[in-house]
Amino acid sequence: MKTPEPIQIIKQRRDAALHALVSGVPYIKFLDITFDRRGDELTGVLHYDPKLIGNPMLPALHGGVTAAFLEVTAIVTLSWALIWDDLESGRIDGEALTPETLPRLPKTIDFSVDYLRAGLPRDAYARARVNRSGRRYSSVHVEAWQDNRDRLFAQGTGHFLMPPRGE
Amino acid sequence: MTDTPDPDTARARAAHQFIQALPHCRALSMTVQDVGAGEATVAMPWSAQIVGDPRTGVVHGGAVSALMDTTGGAAVLSHPTAPVSTATMDLRIDYMRAATPHQTITARAVCHHVTRSVAFVRAEAFDEETDKGPVAVANGAFTLDRGTRT
């Protein structure tokens, strides 16, 4: 019988791959978005900073920041789902993965944001669900909240062009 | 307000103030290029920190969203019915092509219809190669706050 992989090795491989996916993108760093991982589930975390404010009178997060946070979470979640199988089967070596050696990522075709309430000057969280992942196109829905998971402050849906397979 | 300032100057001043007062717009170095009645043009220079794909230097779609949202809000505030504040309700962006790296992206928004409490906005964003068509187009609905209810 095959010995199961030690848990640290599995975590290391998955976290290294996630790091490669996220750390190479300057704009994700600029907004200070990080990702929490539980198994294959990702939660985007937008760390609050005064430069994210749109309306200083309220104050509220800039609508563009909210849109960008949703879009980043959608595209990272979709990319993560795309590499997950290859990562788990060993076709991709997670530990050796760098932003330079990543497979090609999906591109946004369109993105639609629904602003439900003002974004407060504090951390925000987002989770995306891949509703359809086809060979060429996919559709992703994403929800964002702050203090209370049931009180979304924004949600979005986007369509993405998938990278060509089997190069 | 006690005096009645020249509408064009008042509008331009309001738009400049609007952008300058927004920390995130300052962080992205956005500048107002032009303001008309329910229209605004805002530019955002290329910078390394807004890149989405480091292998090509192409700007992230999210930064284009921020520019579209700002320009839309500026167009609403410059509408002749003089709303005092606005917030985005809904914004849809279509990404037509990758913006050419190292080029300024300029968005122009038009507030094409206004009701008592809602403004409908269309916007287009171009890089410096305008003959290639827009980088992205957007449609949005914004809230309108007129300050006083009549």
Side-chain angles (χ1 to χ4, degrees), chain B residues 23-34:
Chain B
H24 192 63
C25 299
R26 281 204 304 271
L28 295 179
S29 304
M30 292 184 196
T31 51
V32 178
Q33 302 294 298
D34 193 26

Side-chain angles (χ1 to χ4, degrees), chain B residues 107-127:
Chain B
R108 181 171 177 273
V110 178
C111 185
H112 62 88
H113 186 77
V114 160
T115 71
R116 200 179 310 175
S117 50
V118 183
F120 297 92
V121 173
R122 271 195 285 264
E124 285 188 316
F126 291 86
D127 59 16

Side-chain angles (χ1 to χ4, degrees), chain A residues 15-151:
Chain A
D15 288 338
L18 181 59
H19 181 76
L21 192 60
V22 174
S23 69
V25 183
Y27 189 64
I28 296 181
K29 205 174 284 174
F30 171 67
L31 291 178
D32 197 10
I33 297 170
T34 58
F35 285 85
D36 282 353
R37 187 185 64 76
R38 298 284 180 273
D40 70 340
E41 185 198 58
L42 298 183
T43 306
V45 182
L46 175 71
H47 299 268
Y48 175 70
D49 184 276
K51 74 165 187 276
L52 305 181
I53 289 295
N55 186 336
M57 302 301 285
L58 294 173
L61 295 180
H62 192 288
V65 170
T66 301
F69 178 44
L70 291 173
E71 191 179 329
V72 163
T73 304
I75 204 158
V76 166
T77 302
L78 180 61
S79 305
W80 180 244
L82 211 58
I83 66 168
W84 176 264
D85 286 342
D86 287 342
L87 191 66
E88 290 306 295
S89 66
R91 280 191 296 274
I92 290 178
D93 179 4
E95 298 254 34
L97 215 54
T98 66
E100 289 73 35
T101 58
L102 270 183
R104 297 206 68 82
L105 299 178
K107 286 186 201 160
T108 316
I109 299 168
D110 61 59
F111 201 78
S112 185
V113 182
D114 200 358
Y115 295 91
L116 303 171
R117 42 176 67 84
L120 302 169
R122 58 188 76 151
D123 291 359
Y125 313 99
R127 258 181 226 148
R129 188 180 64 235
V130 179
N131 280 329
R132 181 187 143 91
S133 184
R135 209 163 41 82
R136 294 166 71 189
Y137 313 107
S138 52
S139 176
V140 182
H141 183 76
V142 50
E143 297 179 338
W145 70 97
Q146 293 189 299
D147 299 311
N148 187 334
R149 177 69 179 89
D150 292 328
R151 275 171 63 86

Side-chain angles (χ1 to χ4, degrees), chain B residues 88-92 110 112 118-123 138-142:
Chain B
T88 320
M89 259 193 288
D90 150 273
L91 190 69
R92 179 207 156 97
V110 178
H112 62 88
V118 183
F120 297 92
V121 173
R122 271 195 285 264
N139 267 286
F142 289 72

